[in-house]
Amino acid sequence: MTVMAKSPVAAFLAGLVNLFWHLGKVGLALCVLMFVVSPWIGTHDLKVDVKIPVALSLNATTHPVVARTPDVTDGTLGDLRGSLRFVPLKRGFIAGSAVVIAIAISLIMWVLYQLRAVFRTLKAGQPFVPENALRLRRIGWAVIIGETLRAVVALIENAYAANHFSVSSLTFVVRPDYNALTVIGGLIILVIAEVFRAGTRLDEEQSLTV
Amino acid sequence: MGIRVRLDYLLLDRQLTLTDLADRIGITIANLSILKTNKARAIRFSTLDALCRELQCQPGELLVWTPDEVEDGKAEA
């Protein structure tokens, strides 16, 4: 187990987690700053542009997709996704965005906190403890909940774009963007956590076998 | 678990110390101590074999089952 602690991969991952942890702290500080200065944004030439994800549908008659080779037929473009950059003039938008970003960073930092705790046990040469199984389970749920929250926020941003903007030949649509792969990733972590929990029990028994 | 290891009794009877026994059977004192204090969850046949050989006893003399054994600090009903 102590060999694992000296592994360069483990050391690299621990360093990466620590780096993201500190970046998260900087991000949180910036969010607080953004929230504090939000009343002045939009006035005194202090303008901040934001970027939100959008879903679009294209008018197929005005934008036909024509085949260039004889081995395919003409096509249609659908389920377009992109990002919309604009300057919001309503002060509440910036403050709200700061809160949403702060919540997202907090969730990520909570996951990093769990990972740091796991790496501490790895460094101490005792990674097979029941607490690590619990930490892995928390991470799995955080991934699933985080993806759900992201999808909800993206849906709200889609609705905002559809209500506030229009563009010729394109229509902003409100469409859920739930990433099933991320959720499956979360489920995999939950399964690994259960395997780990069983492993810690076996390790505990093994350690008391003479 | 109501299984008790009577290692302390057998050591006293054979006039051996835990260190002597550990040296003879090639098991660490820490592991023998786990056995002696009844903290062990399991015992390997190889360990049992070595203990019986050195203590000149049968497994039944080393291990006893007691129904009123205290487990995890709680008395069984």
Side-chain angles (χ1 to χ4, degrees):
Chain A
M1 281 186 284
T2 47
V3 175
M4 285 173 74
K6 287 172 186 170
S7 151
V9 177
F12 171 73
L13 289 174
L16 209 60
V17 166
N18 277 334
L19 175 71
F20 280 119
W21 171 259
H22 294 301
L23 284 176
K25 284 198 281 191
V26 173
L28 267 184
L30 286 174
C31 283
V32 171
L33 182 71
M34 200 163 112
F35 187 82
V36 169
V37 301
S38 63
W40 291 279
I41 289 175
T43 60
H44 303 99
D45 293 332
L46 181 61
K47 290 182 169 60
V48 175
D49 61 339
V50 295
K51 196 166 80 170
I52 61 170
V54 288
L56 303 153
S57 69
L58 190 69
N59 187 340
T61 53
T62 57
H63 290 81
V65 179
V66 182
R68 295 178 68 185
T69 56
D71 53 339
V72 287
T73 64
D74 291 347
T76 51
L77 275 173
D79 292 339
L80 301 180
R81 294 202 174 272
S83 58
L84 176 70
R85 189 180 283 275
F86 63 99
V87 177
L89 298 175
K90 208 171 178 180
R91 294 162 196 176
F93 189 94
I94 298 294
S97 297
V99 171
V100 170
I101 295 168
I103 290 170
I105 292 175
S106 301
L107 188 66
I108 292 166
M109 285 190 72
W110 189 71
V111 169
L112 292 173
Y113 179 79
Q114 304 299 324
L115 282 175
R116 277 161 60 95
V118 171
F119 276 113
R120 270 199 299 274
T121 60
L122 191 65
K123 199 175 174 183
Q126 290 286 338
F128 296 110
V129 289
E131 290 79 14
N132 277 352
L134 186 66
R135 285 171 189 136
L136 282 177
R137 195 186 299 164
R138 285 175 186 157
I139 291 168
W141 280 116
V143 169
I144 294 169
I145 292 167
E147 173 55 23
T148 307
L149 289 176
R150 190 205 60 77
V152 168
V153 170
L155 199 69
I156 293 168
E157 285 170 331
N158 279 188
Y160 183 88
N163 288 331
H164 291 79
F165 296 94
S166 67
V167 56
S168 62
S169 304
L170 288 169
T171 312
F172 288 107
V173 290
V174 182
R175 192 187 298 148
D177 179 25
Y178 202 62
N179 193 339
L181 277 179
T182 308
V183 177
I184 289 169
L187 289 174
I188 289 170
I189 296 170
L190 286 179
V191 171
I192 291 170
E194 288 308 302
V195 172
F196 199 91
R197 194 170 62 84
T200 56
R201 204 168 49 232
L202 288 175
D203 185 64
E204 191 188 340
E205 277 190 10
Q206 184 65 30
S207 66
L208 289 174
T209 298
V210 178
Chain B
M1 192 164 60
I3 300 290
R4 281 190 70 246
V5 182
R6 295 172 72 235
L7 194 58
D8 46 357
Y9 169 79
L10 286 168
L11 283 172
L12 197 69
D13 191 57
R14 301 323 189 242
Q15 294 186 333
L16 280 171
T17 65
L18 208 61
T19 314
D20 292 337
L21 187 62
D23 286 342
R24 286 188 191 186
I25 63 175
I27 289 177
T28 62
I29 297 173
N31 274 343
L32 271 187
S33 183
I34 288 172
L35 264 184
K36 188 168 166 265
T37 52
N38 289 297
K39 287 177 183 165
R41 288 268 182 92
I43 181 166
R44 291 188 186 91
F45 276 169
S46 57
T47 307
L48 195 57
D49 176 53
L51 283 170
C52 289
R53 189 182 63 239
E54 289 303 325
L55 296 170
Q56 290 294 304
C57 67
Q58 291 297 315
E61 294 175 68
L62 191 62
L63 304 173
V64 288
W65 178 75
T66 49
D68 298 323
E69 189 56 60
V70 174
E71 187 186 1
D72 294 330
K74 292 175 189 172
E76 285 179 4

